[in-house]
Amino acid sequence: MNKLDLFSDHHLVRQSLAAVIEIAEAFKLEKGRMPVLMEVCGSHTMAFARSGIKQRLMDHVKLIAGPGCPVCVTDQKSIDAMIQLADEPDTILCTFGDMMRVPGSASTLMKAKTEGKDIRVVYSPLESVKIAQQHPDKEVIFLGIGFETTIPILALAIREAEKMELHNFTIWMTTKLVEPVLRELLDAGEVKVDGFLLPGHVSVVLGKTSYDFLMKEYQVPGVISGFEPVQLLTGMYKLIDLLHNQKVDILNDYTHVVKEHGNAVARELLHTYFEFGDEAWRGMNVIPKSGLVLKDQYARFDAKKKFNVAVKEPRKVKCRCGEIIRGLINPEECVLFNKGCTPVHPIGPCMVSSEGTCAAHYQYMREE
């Protein structure tokens, strides 16, 4: 049995589940309530639902999905702007597949594509650079979403376009950073959490020490976790154990890929091409310095500066993705869930994304 199989071994999963239930019940006995944990990462949200762990622990641990799905937190204005840009002649838009079905105010990128606009799904921003090289007579714009995991790849795309001396490639930057949004959640005080299960992928870039502010400034513990069932459960166990023993610490339970100070090469790429910028989050308005924007010397690659796009305020709908992203409600509390909003006819991004909370509930936790 290799190591990855070990993380999904049924015997170990059952043992780990029993251990989590035991420590959670000890916490309940002392506090008179369940421990409340937030999984920050959308991949964790989907992994908890798909593995059945969230359903199995429902009476022992309250798990809240956090704002870590990159598609879900992309503001509606960016979708509207990209659809508007698609109307421009001699323009090619490139984006990740999940973004195609996210509703804007009046349409989606998918619908715009079926209407004849040149919109292409790519697996990497570097593919869009190649498209720009192959089509020098067209403007190629990449919709740059994502957290710290994805942003270094955007930097590589800029570096590649610079090497090729391309003048027809830009990125519409709408990236997000983990630390500012966690601060926003804790400062707002709308959702009460005892501790955080911290994202494995983002932590590969950031490193364990990037979460020290949680411990030092907010006295909230956290554990960096992997994504397989045993990894999820051991992360939960260690976090509840900290809470039960009234210890505030940041633990790394994903040590084979997450280092103390992260990935130095990726961080250097971020600092070379980007600087902090204010960023709009779906359901949370603008959070100061919560995203990265291109530095002035790379402004020629900035789609927001190159193209004059003015979009109206998004049309208001009954979708409650904003509250779901902030951990304030469960998907079932949205009047649209499994009625007007389904994976076939999504109204909000949380139902579209492969990391979305509503998609996870619909696929694995919905009562028929």
Side-chain angles (χ1 to χ4, degrees):
M1 182 183 295
N2 64 41
K3 199 166 186 177
L4 198 58
D5 291 336
L6 198 64
F7 290 140
S8 301
D9 178 72
H10 290 176
H11 180 64
L12 281 178
V13 170
R14 283 195 294 273
Q15 280 187 331
S16 302
L17 265 172
V20 170
I21 290 171
E22 184 179 353
I23 193 81
E25 288 304 304
F27 179 97
K28 278 173 68 177
L29 191 63
E30 182 187 353
K31 301 287 186 183
R33 62 174 177 81
M34 289 190 283
V36 182
L37 313 181
M38 173 177 278
E39 82 270 9
V40 177
C41 175
S43 294
H44 277 161
T45 298
M46 189 58 78
F48 272 125
R50 183 172 52 236
S51 64
I53 291 173
K54 185 163 185 174
Q55 300 89 313
R56 178 67 182 83
L57 295 177
M58 197 167 287
D59 295 330
H60 308 282
V61 181
K62 184 175 181 181
L63 268 174
I64 299 175
C69 162
V71 173
C72 304
V73 296
T74 299
D75 69 311
Q76 199 167 327
K77 274 189 174 180
S78 288
I79 307 294
D80 291 343
M82 291 299 285
I83 292 171
Q84 196 169 317
L85 277 171
D87 283 333
E88 297 295 321
D90 299 323
T91 298
I92 300 173
L93 297 186
C94 298
T95 186
F96 296 127
D98 274 4
M99 296 304 299
M100 293 294 287
R101 297 175 64 236
V102 176
S105 293
S107 187
T108 66
L109 290 169
M110 180 67 80
K111 187 177 178 187
K113 182 177 175 65
T114 61
E115 291 169 350
K117 313 303 179 190
D118 196 345
I119 300 174
R120 306 184 187 188
V121 172
V122 295
Y123 292 99
S124 163
L126 293 169
E127 289 181 48
S128 55
V129 176
K130 287 184 181 176
I131 292 170
Q133 186 186 29
Q134 293 162 355
H135 299 277
D137 55 334
K138 294 181 182 290
E139 292 287 345
V140 176
I141 306 164
F142 180 77
L143 176 53
I145 71 159
F147 284 88
E148 287 92 338
T149 320
T150 308
I151 302 172
I153 308 171
L154 300 180
L156 287 175
I158 297 294
R159 189 170 73 179
E160 197 65 14
E162 195 178 20
K163 280 183 187 174
M164 294 179 180
E165 298 183 351
L166 297 179
H167 297 281
N168 63 328
F169 173 76
T170 54
I171 296 180
W172 185 279
M173 289 290 291
T174 179
T175 56
K176 308 289 190 289
L177 303 176
V178 169
E179 180 178 336
V181 75
L182 292 184
R183 287 182 179 277
E184 179 76 10
L185 286 178
L186 291 167
D187 289 339
E190 292 177 310
V191 58
K192 305 294 183 187
V193 297
D194 294 310
F196 289 104
L197 277 169
L198 297 165
H201 295 149
V202 163
S203 301
V204 172
V205 175
L206 294 181
K208 171 182 171 289
T209 56
S210 63
Y211 304 109
D212 285 351
F213 73 97
L214 291 172
M215 172 178 62
K216 294 176 179 175
E217 298 179 42
Y218 294 94
Q219 291 75 54
V220 176
V223 175
I224 300 167
S225 174
F227 300 89
E228 297 300 322
V230 173
Q231 294 173 318
L232 294 169
L233 288 163
T234 55
M236 288 180 75
Y237 180 88
K238 290 180 179 180
L239 184 52
I240 300 171
D241 188 53
L242 284 174
L243 297 168
H244 181 53
N245 290 294
Q246 299 181 2
K247 292 181 180 177
V248 180
D249 203 352
I250 302 297
L251 303 181
N252 180 8
D253 200 41
Y254 203 26
T255 52
H256 49 291
V257 289
V258 174
K259 307 304 178 191
E260 194 76 1
H261 299 287
N263 184 314
V265 174
R267 294 177 72 135
E268 178 61 27
L269 273 172
L270 300 187
H271 294 307
T272 299
Y273 290 96
F274 304 112
E275 59 190 8
F276 292 115
D278 299 345
E279 188 62 37
W281 294 62
R282 188 176 286 253
M284 284 185 274
N285 299 317
V286 174
I287 302 178
K289 295 183 179 179
S290 64
L292 292 178
V293 296
L294 283 155
K295 290 182 176 178
D296 284 344
Q297 58 262 47
Y298 304 106
R300 64 186 182 280
F301 298 111
D302 189 335
K304 290 182 180 177
K305 291 182 178 175
K306 187 169 186 177
F307 303 100
N308 184 25
V309 181
V311 294
K312 299 176 182 175
E313 281 301 310
R315 180 172 59 89
K316 290 186 178 179
V317 295
K318 292 181 179 178
C319 169
R320 299 180 72 182
C321 276
E323 293 162 89
I324 291 168
I325 290 164
R326 302 198 317 269
L328 301 182
I329 64 168
N330 287 317
E332 291 84 354
E333 294 176 70
C334 175
V335 70
L336 299 175
F337 181 78
N338 195 25
K339 298 183 179 72
C341 184
T342 65
V344 175
H345 180 68
I347 293 178
C350 295
M351 187 61 89
V352 177
S353 173
S354 59
E355 299 182 4
T357 308
C358 294
H361 275 245
Y362 186 91
Q363 290 182 57
Y364 302 110
M365 301 179 66
R366 169 173 57 109
E367 290 186 8
E368 297 289 352

